[in-house]
Amino acid sequence: MTPLLRRRPRKNPADSTVTLIGKPGCHLCDAAETVIAEVCGELGARWEKKDITQDEELHRKYWEQIPVILVDGAQHDFWRVDPGRLRKALAG
């Protein structure tokens, strides 16, 4: 089989970490948290929440985009989370 047609092994979602960067009182952040908790719970992935009001670097970098979603440290989404897209990113 040619290298272009060879399938890559799927990632194990349990090896991934999803980070939600947001702030208290943000309705989009609350909605994103609900989606992330559901998808990560379903797939067994870890997730964490970071508050831009408690971290100057995160505030400087992301304040106009919150909520921001990172998958394994790389920006995946902002403002709204698509559950299907997140599942695909976690499953590889």
Side-chain angles (χ1 to χ4, degrees), residues 54-89:
Q54 303 297 314
D55 185 315
E56 286 183 38
E57 177 66 19
L58 290 177
H59 186 273
R60 183 188 60 72
K61 192 170 182 179
Y62 297 117
W63 74 274
E64 291 182 322
Q65 296 180 329
I66 63 166
V68 173
I69 297 80
L70 310 177
V71 174
D72 296 328
Q75 188 167 340
H76 170 74
D77 244 330
F78 63 97
W79 294 338
R80 302 211 186 268
V81 185
D82 179 276
R85 187 168 178 263
L86 182 58
R87 275 186 198 91
K88 188 173 181 177

Side-chain angles (χ1 to χ4, degrees), residues 10-19 36 39-41 43-48 69-74 76 85-92:
R10 289 187 160 251
K11 289 186 343 184
N12 181 352
D15 295 336
S16 294
T17 301
V18 176
T19 304
I36 291 167
V39 171
C40 288
L43 298 177
R46 294 179 305 273
W47 73 279
E48 62 186 359
I69 297 80
L70 310 177
V71 174
D72 296 328
H76 170 74
R85 187 168 178 263
L86 182 58
R87 275 186 198 91
K88 188 173 181 177
L90 291 170

